[in-house]
Amino acid sequence: VLPGAGGAGGPRPSLVDPSARTCEASVLPSEMSCAARIEKDVALSARLVRKLDGLFGVPPEATEAFLRLPTPDEVKLDQQVIYLRRVHSLCFYSGVWCQDAWALRERCGVHCVVRAERASMDEGSYAKEHEERLESLLASAKLEAPEVGAVNDEVALRTNDFLCEKAREINPSRAECLICKKHFKNLGYVHKHLRKAHSDEIVALEREAFQKAACAAFAADPSPPSLKGFPLPAS
């Protein structure tokens, strides 16, 4: 918990700044614990749960069974905020949606904490900005397929080169595998043989292509995850 996370007049924690790269858990301003705000956030977090569950194909009946659990508003809000964080890697109070839990922790810290006591104050600019962020996320959130087409194309080209390199046509009715020297009726049968009997060669090509793509994606990421403590692959 960061110090100085006071009410409307106090300094605000860096945790809820979506541009923050690294930070810790923090107490939210007092205006976030007023009864009206908690009621709004229960509804807002439920909409986010439905939206993201729908994108990932979670059965609607499972989502609704979770959202209809008979609990007080404070507990329900906690449950839904934790669900968004643990299941969808989304920080409800900063509006940051990450690819995984590691990226979320690096950008948004361990967690946000709402004060236990109910505040009697009116909502301020902080709560309004919070609501605007989430409404924008609800309107724009979509699940994009990973861009693996280029990688698959490279794998296909390299696999084709491998098949051509390791198969030799002796005559129109006979062909040879250059790895094990077995003979077959034609090149098509040799290629099937190579894919089945020498698949380790093709798997190695695929592994190399995906490793290359992963390294390129990491190098191009403007906010790459920290690799501290992790062994790096041999170049």
Side-chain angles (χ1 to χ4, degrees):
V1 176
L2 293 179
R12 296 174 182 172
S14 62
L15 172 58
V16 291
D17 176 6
S19 65
R21 287 287 304 279
T22 57
C23 45
E24 299 297 333
S26 180
V27 175
L28 294 167
S30 296
E31 62 190 274
M32 298 300 290
S33 61
C34 66
R37 182 68 259 167
I38 289 176
E39 184 178 352
K40 289 180 183 179
D41 280 346
V42 167
L44 197 51
S45 58
R47 289 171 58 198
L48 278 166
V49 169
R50 290 189 181 98
K51 174 77 173 184
L52 299 185
D53 275 9
L55 290 177
F56 283 93
V58 177
E61 57 271 20
T63 301
E64 293 306 318
F66 167 67
L67 294 176
R68 291 173 182 167
L69 291 173
T71 54
D73 278 355
E74 293 93 336
V75 177
K76 186 177 289 290
L77 178 57
D78 283 346
Q79 290 172 334
Q80 292 170 187
V81 168
I82 292 172
Y83 180 90
L84 288 168
R85 186 177 184 93
R86 297 285 181 86
V87 176
H88 294 298
S89 299
L90 183 144
C91 176
F92 178 72
Y93 291 106
S94 67
V96 171
W97 187 20
C98 297
Q99 291 185 342
D100 53 51
W102 291 271
L104 180 64
R105 177 162 181 162
E106 182 165 338
R107 289 195 63 188
C108 299
V110 177
H111 208 19
C112 289
V113 181
V114 178
R115 295 177 183 276
E117 69 274 10
R118 287 289 191 100
S120 58
M121 59 189 298
D122 294 332
E123 292 183 24
S125 60
Y126 186 93
K128 293 177 182 177
E129 291 169 4
H130 156 72
E131 191 164 342
E132 289 172 0
R133 281 196 299 270
L134 295 183
E135 288 292 352
S136 176
L137 178 61
L138 278 163
S140 62
K142 61 181 180 179
L143 186 62
E144 297 181 352
E147 297 180 2
V148 298
V151 179
N152 289 337
D153 290 344
E154 182 179 351
V155 170
L157 288 172
R158 296 184 65 178
T159 299
N160 185 66
D161 290 343
F162 167 76
L163 296 176
C164 293
E165 179 185 342
K166 300 302 180 181
R168 180 175 71 91
E169 185 178 59
I170 299 173
N171 57 54
S173 60
R174 187 164 295 277
E176 179 187 24
C177 170
L178 296 178
I179 296 177
C180 62
K181 306 302 180 181
K182 288 184 178 179
H183 287 195
F184 299 86
K185 288 183 179 180
N186 55 46
L187 287 174
Y189 281 97
V190 180
H191 292 169
K192 289 181 181 180
H193 163 76
L194 286 166
R195 290 180 181 276
K196 183 176 181 179
H198 305 293
S199 59
D200 54 327
E201 301 276 353
I202 296 175
V203 169
L205 292 174
E206 293 176 344
R207 186 181 298 114
E208 183 180 346
F210 281 107
Q211 177 69 28
K212 180 180 176 182
C215 291
F218 181 85
D221 191 343
S223 302
S226 173
L227 295 180
K228 185 178 180 180
F230 288 88
L232 295 177
S235 56

